């Protein structure tokens, strides 16, 4: 069962492909325009609501900022006491012990 050769076959397939491409292009353009107009309407509506009653949006932004700050601080896993108290005391102790050991080694030769 060999199909017979049709010289119009490739040309017909090319035309169908071109028509499908044009259809897809047209549908994509329509979808983009619809999305653009709906998003502009949504932005205008949100802007109007914020102007009419800004307090809930300001409070929401404040709470969101606190939540982000807490998340960042929790991710650090570093105790502020270590940074501001224990490390400087440790560094001071090391500096004092180094100074005393040098002083002792200088006095030992007298």
């Amino acid at each position: 069962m060999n199909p017979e050769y049709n010289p119009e076959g490739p040309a017909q397939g090319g035309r169908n492909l071109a028509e499908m491409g044009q259809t897809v292009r047209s549908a994509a353009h329509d979808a983009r325009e619809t999305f653009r107009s709906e998003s502009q309407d949504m932005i205008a509506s949100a802007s109007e609501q914020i102007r009419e009653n800004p307090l809930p949006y300001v409070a929401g932004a404040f709470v969101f900022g606190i939540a982000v700050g807490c998340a960042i601080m929790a991710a650090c896993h570093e105790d502020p006491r270590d940074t501001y108290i224990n490390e400087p005391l440790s560094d001071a102790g090391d500096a004092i012990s180094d100074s005393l050991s040098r002083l002792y080694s200088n006095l030992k030769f007298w």
Side-chain angles (χ1 to χ4, degrees):
M1 295 191 128
N2 291 339
E4 293 185 27
Y5 175 72
N6 183 358
E8 296 272 330
Q12 182 67 25
R15 277 181 275 178
N16 287 340
L17 199 57
E19 288 173 7
M20 286 190 331
Q22 184 62 29
T23 304
V24 168
R25 211 174 297 123
S26 165
H29 178 71
D30 293 344
R32 184 184 69 192
E33 290 301 318
T34 302
F35 179 75
R36 179 183 294 165
S37 67
E38 287 181 9
S39 63
Q40 287 173 347
D41 291 344
M42 191 183 321
I43 290 170
S45 174
S47 178
E48 183 179 320
Q49 287 181 352
I50 290 171
R51 283 191 189 119
E52 287 177 2
N53 194 6
L55 187 62
Y57 298 101
V58 171
F62 181 73
V63 169
F64 180 75
I66 288 176
V68 169
C70 288
I72 290 172
M73 291 301 291
C76 289
H77 296 291
E78 190 171 319
D79 189 13
R81 288 178 288 183
D82 289 337
T83 304
Y84 298 112
I85 296 173
N86 296 338
E87 287 180 16
L89 286 177
S90 175
D91 293 342
D94 291 343
I96 291 171
S97 68
D98 288 344
S99 297
L100 290 176
S101 67
R102 275 186 265 149
L103 179 65
Y104 176 72
S105 65
N106 287 338
L107 292 176
K108 195 162 69 169
F109 288 112
W110 287 10

